[in-house]
């Protein structure tokens, strides 16, 4: 399922022409710099009229300049002319926007366009693409156009030396351009950091400070402890495999995920609901921006997988610590005696539980007090 994307990029390229078409590249510069797309005039003399007609189009801009004076315009024309003479390919990209999406991101407001944001987003996108394509000798220019139903940006690129023979660029390079444009215009850093903060700063931090097979868990949540023990007893002999993404853990990942789900349901039910609501907002943003449900679903999957991976590794870290303690006890007894080995394992397992338990209540109270303090600060800030 697809919907109207917020950003679309269309790309093509031209190889150097013959003498009969020797003005092809500079003509394209005139084309993207003309006062109106329907105007047949293709002369730079009309540049000032084009600049002043803010409702239709914008003048040329480059990596360094938002506007070009006469001297710089002539220099740009010379660069493109010499590039064609030296055999450079001309790459042409059009970055087109759904105007409703621009309104949603605040770039378009009451028919006023924040052109500086469009220019900077284009710079970010083009530079990222050139770096990925290793086009270190590229020169480019762009222009914002308003002459159609959708605001769009034309970009023209040539190479000034070390010209490549093939014009086709990797699809991932064009996708990177699109991604850079979207995230430059709609900065979702704060929203995404909230998702990461729940995983890292709340869930994983809580898990590291509170071992699973504690006395309260054994009394109140015996199913959680049973899941923990079941996984522990099925771990590979090679402890180097005790990492979530290692091949040896493949048969146990589903069990680890279920243990994570149960842990969250016990300790972070409300917080996890908030996490899912924020995640769905980000999924909706991806679907709206890229116009692709598949990509949006992929984003949801990768964020959830990040949670399972980090939590799985935290659980496995606890299991490694438990295994080390059991190994120490076994060395102090007769490791070859099966009855003694079983007794020692049970003993160290229980001792580990009680040592961990001593710290649990204080940590849990600290976390609740911290949350209460943060809520009080928010209430004061908003005058509640």
């Amino acid at each position: 399922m697809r919907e109207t994307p917020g950003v679309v990029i269309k790309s093509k390229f031209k190889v150097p022409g013959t003498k009969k078409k020797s003005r092809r590249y500079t003509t394209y510069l005139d084309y993207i710099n003309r006062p109106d797309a329907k105007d047949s005039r293709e002369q730079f003399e009309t540049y000032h009229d084009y600049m002043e007609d803010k409702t239709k189009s914008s003048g040329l801009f480059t990596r360094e300049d938002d506007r070009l004076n006469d001297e710089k315009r002539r220099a740009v024309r010379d660069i493109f002319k010499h590039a064609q003479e030296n055999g450079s390919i001309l790459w042409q990209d059009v970055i087109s926007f759904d105007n409703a999406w621009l309104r949603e991101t605040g770039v378009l407001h009451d028919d006023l366009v924040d052109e500086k944001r469009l220019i900077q987003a284009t710079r970010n996108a083009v530079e990222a693409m050139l770096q990925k394509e290793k086009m270190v000798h590229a020169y480019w220019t762009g222009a914002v156009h308003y002459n159609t139903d959708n605001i769009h940006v034309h970009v023209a690129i040539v190479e000034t030396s070390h010209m490549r023979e093939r014009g086709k660029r990797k699809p991932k390079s064009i996708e990177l351009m699109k991604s850079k444009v979207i995230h430059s215009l709609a900065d979702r850093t704060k929203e995404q950091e909230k998702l990461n903060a729940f995983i890292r700063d709340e869930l994983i931090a809580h898990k590291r400070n509170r071992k699973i097979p504690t006395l309260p868990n054994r009394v109140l949540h015996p199913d959680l402890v049973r899941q923990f023990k079941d996984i522990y007893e099925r771990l590979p002999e090679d402890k180097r495999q005790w990492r979530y993404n290692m091949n040896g853990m493949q048969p146990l990942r589903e069990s680890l995920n279920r243990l994570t789900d149960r842990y969250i349901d016990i300790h972070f039910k409300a917080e996890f609901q908030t996490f899912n609501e924020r995640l769905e907002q980000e999924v909706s943003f991806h679907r709206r921006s890229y116009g692709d449900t598949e990509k949006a679903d992929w984003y949801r999957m990768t964020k959830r997988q990040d949670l399972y991976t980090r939590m799985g590794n935290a659980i496995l870290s606890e299991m490694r610590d438990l295994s080390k303690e059991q190994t120490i006890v076994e060395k102090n007894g007769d490791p070859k005696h099966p009855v003694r080995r079983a007794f020692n394992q049970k003993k160290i397992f229980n001792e580990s539980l009680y040592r961990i338990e001593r710290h649990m209540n204080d940590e849990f109270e600290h976390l609740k007090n911290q949350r209460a303090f943060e809520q009080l600060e928010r209430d004061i800030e908003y005058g509640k």
Side-chain angles (χ1 to χ4, degrees), residues 315-365:
I315 293 170
L316 290 170
S317 176
E318 178 182 346
M319 292 180 176
R320 285 195 300 273
D321 291 341
L322 182 58
S323 177
K324 289 177 183 178
E325 293 181 3
Q326 289 181 339
T327 300
I328 293 173
V329 171
E330 287 179 359
K331 286 182 179 179
N332 294 330
D334 182 2
K336 297 182 180 180
H337 197 292
V339 176
R340 180 176 292 278
R341 183 189 305 116
F343 175 78
N344 286 336
Q345 286 179 343
K346 183 74 172 179
K347 182 173 181 290
I348 191 61
F349 199 89
N350 289 332
E351 287 177 351
S352 177
L353 300 182
Y354 284 104
R355 282 200 307 272
I356 295 164
E357 176 62 21
R358 287 185 304 174
H359 303 286
M360 186 180 120
N361 290 332
D362 289 343
E363 290 290 341
F364 187 62
E365 288 301 318

Side-chain angles (χ1 to χ4, degrees), residues 126-347:
V126 175
E127 292 302 318
M129 181 276 296
L130 294 178
Q131 183 176 0
K132 190 171 184 62
E133 286 287 325
K134 297 181 172 57
M135 297 173 66
V136 296
H137 301 286
Y139 185 87
W140 65 270
T141 188
V144 183
H145 277 229
Y146 308 97
N147 59 294
T148 64
D149 291 339
N150 297 98
I151 296 171
H152 54 283
V153 181
H154 287 272
V155 177
I157 307 169
V158 293
E159 287 180 307
T160 56
S161 63
H162 298 82
M163 285 76 170
R164 57 179 61 191
E165 296 180 358
R166 298 184 60 188
K168 188 174 182 180
R169 290 166 290 176
K170 301 180 185 69
K172 287 187 177 180
S173 299
I174 305 302
E175 282 297 313
L176 177 61
M177 282 185 70
K178 185 174 182 178
S179 176
K180 285 292 184 181
V181 169
I182 290 171
H183 291 286
S184 296
L185 295 177
D187 186 3
R188 307 292 293 183
T189 303
K190 291 182 179 179
E191 288 76 9
Q192 292 171 4
E193 183 54 36
K194 289 176 182 177
L195 295 175
N196 295 333
F198 169 75
I199 297 174
R200 295 191 310 257
D201 302 334
E202 292 192 56
L203 182 59
I204 302 303
H206 185 277
K207 172 65 201 67
R208 286 172 179 165
N209 291 327
R210 292 164 180 81
K211 306 298 183 180
I212 287 177
T214 58
L215 181 59
N217 280 339
R218 287 190 295 166
V219 174
L220 300 174
H221 312 293
D223 58 322
L224 185 73
V225 178
R226 280 196 298 271
Q227 285 179 267
F228 180 91
K229 288 183 177 180
D230 176 67
I231 296 172
Y232 183 73
E233 292 170 358
R234 293 161 56 201
L235 286 170
E237 291 186 10
D238 184 359
K239 292 184 176 60
R240 293 174 298 180
Q241 292 289 317
W242 294 15
R243 299 287 189 281
Y244 184 88
N245 286 321
M246 295 296 285
N247 291 335
M249 292 305 301
Q250 195 278 332
L252 295 175
R253 282 187 202 131
E254 187 175 344
S255 297
L256 279 169
N257 292 349
R258 286 198 297 268
L259 179 56
T260 292
D261 289 337
R262 183 62 182 137
Y263 188 93
I264 291 174
D265 188 59
I266 292 171
H267 295 291
F268 287 94
K269 192 169 186 177
E271 294 88 343
F272 189 56
Q273 181 177 348
T274 301
F275 170 85
N276 281 325
E277 290 171 356
R278 287 171 174 165
L279 178 58
E280 289 309 310
Q281 289 173 4
E282 290 306 295
V283 170
S284 177
F285 166 76
H286 273 68
R287 186 183 298 113
R288 176 71 178 93
S289 300
Y290 293 92
D292 192 335
T293 299
E294 184 177 344
K295 286 184 181 296
D297 291 341
W298 180 85
Y299 177 83
R300 180 194 293 111
M301 181 192 70
T302 55
K303 188 55 65 176
R304 289 190 182 279
Q305 191 56 47
D306 180 48
L307 184 152
Y308 283 126
T309 300
R310 290 177 181 272
M311 190 64 176
N313 280 327
I315 293 170
L316 290 170
S317 176
E318 178 182 346
M319 292 180 176
R320 285 195 300 273
D321 291 341
L322 182 58
S323 177
K324 289 177 183 178
E325 293 181 3
Q326 289 181 339
T327 300
I328 293 173
V329 171
E330 287 179 359
K331 286 182 179 179
N332 294 330
D334 182 2
K336 297 182 180 180
H337 197 292
V339 176
R340 180 176 292 278
R341 183 189 305 116
F343 175 78
N344 286 336
Q345 286 179 343
K346 183 74 172 179
K347 182 173 181 290

